[in-house]
Every structure is written in C-alpha cells, then in structure tokens.
Amino acid sequence: MKNTPFHKLPPRAIRVWQLGSSIGNLFFFGIPAVYAAVFGMESFHFWIVVTSSVIIALIWVFSVAVLPYLSWKNWRYAVDAKEIDLKRGVLIKNRTLIPLSRVQHVDTRQGPLLRWYNLASVTISTAATTHEIPALDEVIADRVRDQISKYARLAEEDV
C-alpha cells in the first residue's frame, strides 16, 4: 500500500459547497411553479404541486446540509514524485491515480465563491481528461500546482 500521507481539504470547502448547492438547486423550485401555471391548482393538480414541492425542498435541504459535509469528509489527495492520488465519493468511492508522466498541464482556478473564502481549485490535465482537487487554500493550491509541475517535468525527463 502507498505510504504517502493523504491531505484533507480545508473545512471552508463545506461552506463553499453549501452555498454553491443552495444557489444551483434553487432552479428546481421552478418546476412546481411552472406545473401550477400550466395546469392550475385544482384538486388533483394541487396535490401534485404540493408533493413535488415537498420532495424538492427535502432534496434541497439534504444537498445543502448533509451532502457537502459528507463530501468533505471523504475527499483526500496525495502528491508524490510518481503519481497523484485522489480519493472521493460518498456512496460510491472513487480513487484515481494519475501518473505524473501523463500530466500535460496543471493550473489553479477560482470562482467567486472560492475567491470569497480564499480558496482555489487545482486542475490537472492529461491527454484523456481533466481532474480537479477542489477548494484548497490559495497558498496550498499554488504550492500543489508548483509541486505537480516540478514532478511532471522530472517524470518527463525519465521517459
């Protein structure tokens, strides 16, 4: 098994994910409103609107109150001279090993919410896809980016 220690994301990532999820999932409250506008609120349609509104509200609360915490609790990353190891997932656990010889470029990104909390994401691009380490402290994100870039150059020289 691997000896490299895994790093956790900062707890501020929970707040960023909660805000992002609460804003992003507000769209779903429009579904019962559109249904009510199209079909009206008479007896049968009233219950469909109420039931769908309650279900959407429960899913919204779960996605804001529970899911960000569980995601944060299960997110881990490790970087060493040979590979990048990403562990994540709540119900389905994913573990991704990215060989540094396959890394094409690495960069940091900040959206408005990440910038508000002084966080940044590190994106790692390979020929096949792009991977992301979300919501790291800005200083640590820059350090991880530079470390991956340095290791990738060393790995490229070995090939």
Side-chain angles (χ1 to χ4, degrees):
M1 212 59 198
K2 192 170 180 168
N3 293 331
T4 304
F6 280 97
H7 303 284
K8 294 174 72 171
L9 301 178
R12 289 177 287 156
I14 298 170
R15 183 58 93 190
V16 169
W17 290 340
Q18 286 174 328
L19 284 172
S21 182
S22 66
I23 294 168
N25 291 338
L26 283 177
F27 163 77
F28 292 107
F29 284 105
I31 294 172
V34 169
Y35 184 89
V38 171
F39 295 106
M41 292 290 285
E42 289 86 41
S43 61
F44 176 71
H45 298 296
F46 171 78
W47 290 109
I48 289 178
V49 169
V50 169
T51 304
S52 63
S53 296
V54 168
I55 290 171
I56 289 170
L58 290 174
I59 291 171
W60 186 81
V61 168
F62 178 78
S63 71
V64 171
V66 178
L67 196 56
Y69 176 75
L70 292 175
S71 295
W72 173 79
K73 191 174 179 182
N74 291 301
W75 234 109
R76 302 279 188 277
Y77 71 95
V79 178
D80 65 19
K82 293 183 180 176
E83 60 198 8
I84 303 161
D85 196 351
L86 307 175
K87 288 173 60 175
R88 62 195 177 281
V90 176
L91 293 177
I92 299 171
K93 306 281 184 182
N94 290 316
R95 188 163 183 186
T96 305
L97 293 173
I98 307 165
L100 285 166
S101 61
R102 302 288 184 207
V103 172
Q104 292 186 334
H105 74 271
V106 58
D107 55 6
T108 56
R109 295 187 329 172
Q110 274 187 315
L113 289 176
L114 290 174
R115 196 171 323 126
W116 180 266
Y117 285 95
N118 296 323
L119 300 171
S121 296
V122 176
T123 57
I124 304 143
S125 298
T126 63
T129 187
T130 300
H131 304 277
E132 182 179 52
I133 303 172
L136 294 173
D137 285 320
E138 283 179 314
V139 174
I140 294 175
D142 289 340
R143 193 178 308 149
V144 167
R145 180 197 61 211
D146 294 343
Q147 185 181 24
I148 291 171
S149 175
K150 178 182 156 193
Y151 287 154
R153 272 185 255 133
L154 293 175
E156 193 173 280
E157 291 171 5
D158 289 343
V159 175

